[in-house]
Amino acid sequence: MVNYLIAMLVTVGIYAVLALGLNVTWGMAGIANLGLAGFMAVGAYTTALVTKTFGFSIAAGMCLAVFASAALGILVSVGTLRLRGDYLAIVTLGFAEIVRLIASNETWLTNGTDGIAGISGPWRGQLSPVQFNWVYLGVTAALLAVSLLVCQLLARAPYGRVLRAIRDDETLVSVAGKSTFRFKLQAMAIGAGIMGLGGAMYAHYISYISPDVFRSLISLYIFLALTVGGTGNNYGALFGSLVLIALLEGSRFVFATVPAINAVQLAAAREMLIGLGLLLVLRFAPEGLIPERPKIFTRAATDITPRN
Amino acid sequence: MAGLEIVQSLINGVVYGTLLTLPAMGLTIIYAVLRFPSFAVAAHATVGAFAGYVANAVFGMPLLLAFAAGFLVSGLVGVLSDEAALKPLRGRGPLTVAIASIALTIVLENVLRFAFGNELRGYDVPLQRDWMISGIRIGPQQVVNLVVSVVLMLAIFAFFKFTRAGKAMRAVADNPMLASIRGVDPNMVRRFANFFGMALAGLGGMLIALDTSVNPLVGFRIMLPIFAAAIVGGMGSVPGAVVGGLTIGIAEQMSLLVIPPIYRTAVSFGVIMIVLTIRPAGFFGERGN
Amino acid sequence: MLVSSSSRLISRRHLLGASVLGGLSVAILPRMAFAEGNGPIPIGTLTPLTGAGANYGGRMRDAVAGVVAAVNEQGGIIGRQIKLISEDDQTNPEAGVRAARKLIDVDRVAAIMGVWASAVTTAVAPLCWESGTALFCTSGADSITRLPHKGFIFRTEPGSELQAEQVTVFMLGEGARRLAYMGPQTPFTEPSIQRMTKVATAAGAEVASIIYESEKASYRSEVDKILASKPEFIFFGGYAPDTVVLVKDLYKAGYEGRVVGPSYVIDAEFLKTVPNEATEGAYVYYTATSNETGAVDRIKSILKIDQPDAYTCQTYDHANLALLAMAAAKEASGTAIRDNLRKISQGDGEKVGFASDGARLLEEGKKINYEGASGPCDFNEIGDVTSTVTSFNVVKGGELLPYK
C-alpha cells in the first residue's frame, strides 16, 4: 500500500511539472497550446535515446530533454503563434499527433511502436524496487521544486506581468510598444522545456516509453488538472494534479464496492465519474480550487473579452 | 493509367470529404453562435450513430427514418448536455468551455459504453459495389452522401440568409447584447444552434458508421479531420465547412499518391498550415482576432 | 469486483482491522488481501475495457471471471478461495502502469492476466518482475519475452513472424501467386511483411504491402493502391475496428479475390457487423485451438458464445495456468507460478482442461499436463508459447465453417 501511495505521489509530481509547463504557456501567457503530449514525448524520447545510445548520464539526458523540447517549442511557435487562439489549439493538437506518428513510424530513430524499454533510473540497479520508489520520490520532489521556483520567479517578475497583460489584452500591450510575439515565443520555449522535463521524468521512472503513452489523453488530463487547480496559479497546478490523481485512482476503490454490473460497465462508470467530477469542479469553482488572485480582483474583463 | 489513378484519387477525396462536411458544418454553426470550438461534436457523432443503429437494427426502421432518428436524438442530446454542462461556463473564455466540452465528451462516450458495451455493430443495410464509369469508380451511398451534404448546406445557407430565425442567429453571433435589445432571446437562439449543430454531427456520425461500424469510439475517427476542415474553411462559415471538408478529404486521399499512408493525419495539418499562412482566418473566415 | 463467495467474511475481517487503524480509508482496506496467508488468493486482470482495444477486453476479463467462479464453486485451490480484481488499462501504457501498481501494491495479486496491447505489457513488465508477480499476456510483439523478465512473463500469443509464415504458406497452397498484406503500424507489422516476402519469394510469388494509419473513417485510396498490384489473396494484419472498414472498402472497390485474417479479427461479432456479401469466402486462421480436454466447451458455456476468439481462449488459459501452477506449488505467489508453471503445462502427465480437475489430480500426487482452449499451452524457456497456426475456417453466409 505504501509503495502504491509513493508511486502515485511520484505520478502527481510528474503531472504537476507538466501542469506547471502548461501554466506558463496557457495560464500566464494565454497561449492555447494543446500540444503538451508532443513536447512531453520529445523530452522523453530525447533523454531515452541519449542515455541509452550514447551513455549520457540521466542528469545530462534530462537537461538535453529540456533543451530539445524548448527548441521545438520555438519552432512550433514561429509557425503558429500568429494564429487565433482557437485555431492554435487545434493546430497544436495536430502537432502532438504528428509527433506520435513520427515516433510510431520512424523506427530507425525511435524503435517504432515497440517503444524503448530498459531506460535507466537513478541508482535503479543498486536499489530494491521500494527503495527506488522512495529515491525517485525525492528526485521528483527536487525537480518539481526547481520548476516551481522558476515558475514563481517568472510569475512575480515584471516579465510575468507582461505575459499576463498579453493574456488579458494583447492589443493593449502591443500598443504600449512591446513585441508580444517575442514574449509569447519565450513563454512557449519555457513552457515546452518544462513539459519536456516532465516527459523525461516519466521516462526515467517507468523505464519504458512508446508512442501510445503520448496520446492526447494525457494533454487533456493535464489541462483539466490545471483548470481544476486554478489556471494562472503555480500552486494551482500542483494542487490540481493531486486532485486529478486522487480522482483517477480513488475511483478504482469507489467502484470496487459496486456489485452486479459487468467489468465494461464498471470501467465506463469510472470514466464517467472522472468526466463528471471535472465538470463539477469547473462549474462550482470557476477560478479553480486555488484562484490566481483573491476574488475581488477577478478579471471582470473575461466576461466580455474572450481569452485566446 | 497514371491519369486515371489521379482522377480516382480525386474522386476518393471528394467521397471522403463529404463524410467530413456534415459534422464540420455542425461544428461551425455552433462556433458561429456560441463562439467556442466544441470537441463534443465527436461524441455527438457517436450518439447519432447509435441512435440510428437502434432505429434501424433494433426497431427495423428503414435507413431514411434511421437518419431522422440519428439527427433528432443527437440534436436533443446536444441541447440537453449543453444546458447541463457547458451553459453555466459561458463567459469564462472560449478555451475553458472547449476544455469542458472534452470532459463532456468523456462522459457521453462512457454513457454509450455503459448502455451498449464495446462491441462493434453494423446497420441492417446491404453493401453495394461501386459503379464503374469509364474506369473510375464511385459508390451509390457516396453519391447520396454528397447530395445530402450539398442540399443541407444550401438549406442552412438559405436559412441563415433569408429566414427571421436565421437572421436572429446571425445577430446573436455578431452581438448578443444588441440582439437582446432588439427582442431576440439569445438563449433560444443558442439552443437552436446547438440542436442544429449536434444534429448535423449526429447525421454525419451515422454516415461514417455506415462505412465503418457502430461503437463508442466511432466519432473519434473523424475528430481531427473535421476540426481541420472547419479551420481550413474558416470557423463559423457554413460554406467554409463544405469547402474545408472537401479540401481536407482530397488532400488526404491524393497525398497517398506520393507519401506513405501512415502520415495521413500529418497531411491535414500541413494543409491547415499552408491555408492559414495565406488566409489567417481560413477560406471563408470573417474576422481575425 | 469480488467473485469470491466468501467475500463477506474477508470484508468483515478487514473491517475489524480498519476500525483499529481508524485513520485509514475504509474503502481501501476491504480490498487488501495477501497472496501469502490463508484468506482468498488475489489474482488480477488488466484488460482494455476502454480505448482502442476495448472490444476485446470485456470478454477476456469475463473468461477469467468465469474460471474463478467455477473454481471457487468447487472449493478453490489449495483450500483457498480465489479473489479476482479487475482493472482497466484504457489501452494506454501510462494508465496501465498506474492500474498495475494498484494490483501489485494494494491488492498484492499473484498474477496479472489478460494484458493485451504490446505497449502496455512492456510498460508493466518491470513492475511485475521486480515485485515477483506473474504476467500473462496476449500481446503480439516478439520483443516482450526478450526483456530481462526473470521468467515472470508468459505470452500465449504465438510468435507473429511464425504466424505470418504459416499464413503465407496457406495462401500459396491455395494457389495464389500475388499476395498482399494490409496492416497498421504495430511492433509485428514489418517483421511479418519481411517473413511473408521471404517465404513467398522462395516459392516464386510476389508480395505487395501497405501500412495504413489506424482509426481512419475510410481506406478507399489505400485499397486502390493495394488493388493496383492485382492481388489474389490479401492478409489482414490489423484489428477488428479497422478491418471492418477495409473489408467494406475492398468489397465496394469490386475486389473478387480472397482474404485471410486472424480469429480475433474475423469472429462472430465481425460477421454480424459486416454484411454477408462482403465477408463471403473469407478465411480465418486459428492459433492452435483445441477441444481435446473440453476447454473450449467450458468457455462457450461460461460466456454463452458459440465461437470464442483467440484472445478469449488465451485468457481462459491464463487463469487456469496460474491457478494450477499455484496448486502444484501449494503456495500462492507469483514466484510459485513462475517456478511451477511448466510442471503443469507440458510433459507426459494426464491431460486436463480446467483448473479444478487438475488440482484434484495434483492432490492425488499425479502429474498433469494442461491442454487449454488456445492449444497445448507449452512454453519455451523465455516464456513464449510454442504452439502456432493449426487450422483455418472459411466464412459461408456469415457463418464460420471448418476448412483445413
Side-chain angles (χ1 to χ4, degrees):
Chain A
M1 187 72 203
V2 178
N3 206 26
Y4 167 71
L5 290 177
I6 304 167
M8 289 313 120
L9 279 180
V10 173
T11 312
V12 168
I14 295 171
Y15 274 33
V17 169
L18 293 166
L20 280 173
L22 188 65
N23 194 36
V24 174
T25 53
W26 165 236
M28 292 189 206
I31 304 164
N33 173 12
L34 283 183
L36 183 135
F39 294 112
M40 186 189 170
V42 168
Y45 271 100
T46 303
T47 191
L49 288 173
V50 299
T51 55
K52 256 202 104 158
T53 319
F54 302 110
F56 279 45
S57 71
I58 293 173
M62 284 191 170
C63 288
L64 277 174
V66 172
F67 284 119
S69 307
L72 193 68
I74 293 173
L75 206 70
V76 171
S77 304
V78 170
T80 60
L81 268 189
R82 291 183 205 278
L83 299 180
R84 323 171 6 186
D86 34 23
Y87 283 21
L88 181 66
I90 313 293
V91 171
T92 46
L93 192 67
F95 152 76
E97 281 299 300
I98 292 169
V99 170
R100 195 169 63 81
L101 286 183
I102 293 172
S104 302
N105 295 315
E106 300 309 313
T107 313
W108 58 275
L109 179 66
T110 62
N111 204 29
T113 40
D114 252 334
I116 301 174
I119 303 165
S120 58
W123 301 285
R124 192 163 195 152
Q126 292 99 293
L127 300 170
S128 76
V130 180
Q131 285 170 331
F132 174 74
N133 235 354
W134 278 109
V135 165
Y136 211 86
L137 182 62
V139 171
T140 305
L143 290 171
L144 178 59
V146 171
S147 311
L148 184 64
L149 189 71
V150 169
C151 291
Q152 277 300 85
L153 288 175
L154 208 63
R156 293 216 183 121
Y159 181 81
R161 282 202 290 278
V162 177
L163 285 186
R164 281 193 294 270
I166 292 175
R167 175 191 71 188
D168 294 340
D169 193 339
E170 186 167 350
T171 327
L172 197 73
V173 179
S174 50
V175 167
K178 303 249 187 204
S179 160
T180 61
F181 184 78
R182 234 190 74 212
F183 276 97
K184 282 162 80 176
L185 195 79
Q186 287 163 351
M188 269 293 271
I190 297 168
I194 298 175
M195 292 170 196
L197 176 66
M201 288 163 71
Y202 177 87
H204 289 295
Y205 182 51
I206 304 295
S207 86
Y208 169 71
I209 53 171
S210 71
D212 274 347
V213 174
F214 307 103
R215 283 183 174 265
S216 290
L217 183 73
I218 189 92
S219 310
L220 163 68
Y221 278 168
I222 304 301
F223 236 102
L224 290 166
L226 180 62
T227 315
V228 163
T231 309
N233 186 322
N234 290 321
Y235 294 103
L238 256 66
F239 189 60
S241 304
L242 187 68
V243 171
L244 181 73
I245 290 292
L247 199 58
L248 290 177
E249 292 298 311
S251 55
R252 297 184 200 284
F253 299 97
V254 173
F255 282 111
T257 56
V258 179
I261 50 176
N262 71 38
V264 171
Q265 287 178 319
L266 222 51
R270 181 174 160 246
E271 293 214 346
M272 245 187 275
L273 185 85
I274 293 165
L276 273 177
L278 296 164
L279 282 172
L280 285 174
V281 177
L282 283 172
R283 169 92 161 81
F284 294 106
E287 297 284 301
L289 296 169
I290 311 182
E292 182 178 5
R293 280 168 264 184
K295 264 267 171 299
I296 35 169
F297 297 118
T298 303
R299 297 181 302 276
T302 45
D303 286 338
I304 308 160
T305 333
R307 274 186 190 177
N308 56 6
Chain B
M1 190 63 212
L4 265 189
E5 214 178 290
I6 291 169
V7 176
Q8 181 65 60
S9 149
L10 184 73
I11 302 255
N12 290 349
V14 173
V15 165
Y16 177 57
T18 48
L19 273 186
L20 306 177
T21 53
L22 288 177
M25 274 196 268
L27 174 66
T28 218
I29 287 173
I30 293 173
Y31 183 88
V33 176
L34 290 106
R35 292 277 151 214
F36 76 96
S38 178
F39 287 94
V41 284
H44 285 84
T46 315
V47 168
F50 269 102
Y53 169 80
V54 171
N56 171 255
V58 180
F59 292 113
M61 292 184 199
L63 204 54
L64 209 62
L65 277 179
F67 278 136
F71 187 84
L72 285 174
V73 171
S74 51
L76 281 176
V77 171
V79 173
L80 292 177
S81 63
D82 183 77
E83 291 286 319
L86 304 183
K87 193 178 166 194
L89 305 177
R90 294 222 227 294
R92 301 258 304 278
L95 252 301
T96 307
V97 189
I99 296 295
S101 76
I102 304 181
L104 173 64
T105 301
I106 298 181
V107 175
L108 287 176
E109 174 198 327
N110 285 288
V111 168
L112 290 170
R113 180 171 285 125
F114 192 93
F116 294 95
N118 286 315
E119 291 83 8
L120 309 179
R121 295 152 193 271
Y123 295 99
D124 191 12
V125 188
L127 270 183
Q128 287 164 293
R129 298 265 192 194
D130 285 356
W131 295 316
M132 288 297 281
I133 302 161
S134 55
I136 296 296
R137 68 186 182 88
I138 182 153
Q141 182 65 49
Q142 279 69 39
V143 174
V144 174
N145 292 1
L146 187 65
V147 172
V148 168
S149 296
V150 171
V151 168
L152 275 174
M153 183 201 80
L154 290 175
I156 292 163
F157 197 65
F159 170 79
F160 273 109
K161 203 93 192 164
F162 303 116
T163 67
R164 217 178 140 251
K167 283 179 189 159
M169 276 173 86
R170 272 170 59 209
V172 172
D174 290 340
N175 190 336
M177 222 187 302
L178 199 67
S180 63
I181 291 169
R182 279 162 51 193
V184 178
D185 176 5
N187 272 328
M188 255 347 262
V189 170
R190 284 180 190 132
R191 267 177 220 137
F192 204 70
N194 248 313
F195 177 84
F196 235 32
M198 291 312 185
L200 285 171
L203 189 58
M206 228 196 114
L207 291 179
I208 285 143
L210 268 177
D211 282 357
T212 61
S213 62
V214 184
N215 69 75
L217 295 175
V218 64
F220 292 97
R221 283 184 182 265
I222 44 143
M223 181 152 126
L224 283 175
I226 59 176
F227 270 89
I231 289 187
V232 164
M235 277 274 201
S237 157
V238 172
V242 176
V243 174
L246 291 177
T247 309
I248 293 295
I250 291 169
E252 269 200 32
Q253 298 287 331
M254 289 198 75
S255 71
L256 298 197
L257 294 172
V258 279
I259 66 157
I262 38 180
Y263 281 113
R264 261 172 72 177
T265 298
V267 172
S268 300
F269 285 90
V271 172
I272 295 188
M273 291 317 297
I274 294 167
V275 171
L276 292 189
T277 309
I278 303 163
R279 290 187 65 90
F283 286 142
F284 294 88
E286 307 124 45
R287 59 194 110 184
N289 224 337
Chain C
M1 230 165 287
L2 295 174
V3 175
S4 140
S5 57
S6 71
S7 58
R8 227 158 13 104
L9 264 174
I10 194 71
S11 298
R12 201 183 302 141
R13 196 187 63 155
H14 280 297
L15 280 170
L16 268 173
S19 65
V20 176
L21 290 166
L24 285 166
S25 159
V26 198
I28 295 172
L29 272 166
R31 306 205 67 194
M32 290 185 64
F34 297 91
E36 302 84 10
N38 297 312
I41 303 168
I43 58 172
T45 58
L46 185 60
T47 60
L49 300 173
T50 59
N55 55 315
Y56 297 118
R59 279 180 269 171
M60 292 165 73
R61 184 265 169 195
D62 290 346
V64 175
V67 173
V68 169
V71 167
N72 279 340
E73 212 168 87
Q74 302 201 15
I77 291 287
I78 48 176
R80 293 166 68 180
Q81 292 281 295
I82 317 299
K83 179 182 159 189
L84 175 66
I85 303 107
S86 297
E87 291 292 343
D88 173 18
D89 71 12
Q90 299 178 254
T91 329
N92 181 306
E94 196 269 340
V97 164
R98 280 188 280 114
R101 283 267 184 211
K102 186 252 176 194
L103 287 173
I104 292 170
D105 291 331
V106 180
D107 301 310
R108 309 277 178 111
V109 296
I112 294 179
M113 298 169 292
V115 191
W116 177 79
S118 298
V120 176
T121 307
T122 317
V124 304
L127 297 178
C128 291
W129 79 63
E130 282 175 355
S131 65
T133 309
L135 174 61
F136 291 85
C137 72
T138 66
S139 309
D142 292 342
S143 57
I144 288 168
T145 40
R146 293 197 285 265
L147 295 166
H149 61 76
K150 299 180 190 161
F152 283 101
I153 297 181
F154 296 96
R155 188 167 74 117
T156 50
E157 175 69 10
S160 316
E161 288 184 45
L162 199 56
Q163 287 189 40
E165 174 169 334
Q166 287 169 311
V167 174
T168 310
V169 169
F170 168 76
M171 292 190 285
L172 295 170
E174 293 293 306
R177 282 296 164 267
R178 282 189 305 276
L179 314 181
Y181 180 97
M182 299 186 90
Q185 192 69 277
T186 66
F188 43 87
T189 304
E190 307 217 13
S192 296
I193 294 172
Q194 278 160 19
R195 181 67 75 96
M196 196 176 156
T197 310
K198 204 175 135 195
V199 175
T201 322
E206 289 165 32
V207 175
S209 66
I210 200 156
I211 305 176
Y212 57 81
E213 192 184 335
S214 63
E215 290 160 45
K216 287 283 177 186
S218 154
Y219 292 113
R220 292 180 71 89
S221 290
E222 283 87 344
V223 159
D224 281 340
K225 224 172 169 172
I226 209 78
L227 292 189
S229 69
K230 302 210 182 322
E232 297 161 330
F233 223 128
I234 300 177
F235 177 15
F236 294 128
Y239 295 104
D242 288 336
T243 310
V244 166
V245 189
L246 279 181
V247 166
K248 288 184 177 181
D249 278 342
L250 277 168
Y251 179 82
K252 289 177 199 159
Y255 178 61
E256 305 266 5
R258 289 163 287 180
V259 297
V260 58
S263 71
Y264 54 78
V265 172
I266 305 175
D267 59 1
E269 186 183 312
F270 186 96
L271 296 175
K272 257 199 316 208
T273 305
V274 184
N276 290 352
E277 53 271 26
T279 56
E280 189 66 18
Y283 296 94
V284 185
Y285 69 84
Y286 291 79
T287 43
T289 307
S290 79
N291 197 20
E292 206 184 325
T293 54
V296 176
D297 289 338
R298 199 172 279 271
I299 297 189
K300 288 182 186 169
S301 71
I302 287 174
L303 295 177
K304 300 181 179 60
I305 48 173
D306 287 336
Q307 258 155 341
D309 66 290
Y311 293 141
T312 311
C313 291
Q314 287 179 33
T315 33
Y316 169 89
D317 292 342
H318 291 173
N320 283 299
L321 286 164
L323 294 178
L324 282 174
M326 290 190 282
K330 298 196 168 46
E331 185 196 321
S333 73
T335 319
I337 295 173
R338 175 191 67 175
D339 296 339
N340 293 277
L341 193 121
R342 286 175 187 79
K343 291 178 192 158
I344 55 96
S345 67
Q346 46 225 72
D348 49 9
E350 194 167 326
K351 288 183 178 176
V352 294
F354 174 56
S356 291
D357 301 345
R360 231 168 279 125
L361 291 171
L362 285 170
E363 263 170 43
E364 291 166 14
K366 289 188 181 139
K367 277 169 64 176
I368 58 163
N369 173 15
Y370 178 76
E371 304 264 290
S374 69
C377 294
D378 298 344
F379 294 88
N380 67 11
E381 65 284 356
I382 60 169
D384 272 328
V385 79
T386 54
S387 52
T388 180
V389 179
T390 52
S391 64
F392 289 83
N393 278 5
V394 65
V395 179
K396 288 268 181 262
E399 300 286 332
L400 287 161
L401 304 176
Y403 182 72
K404 229 178 190 177

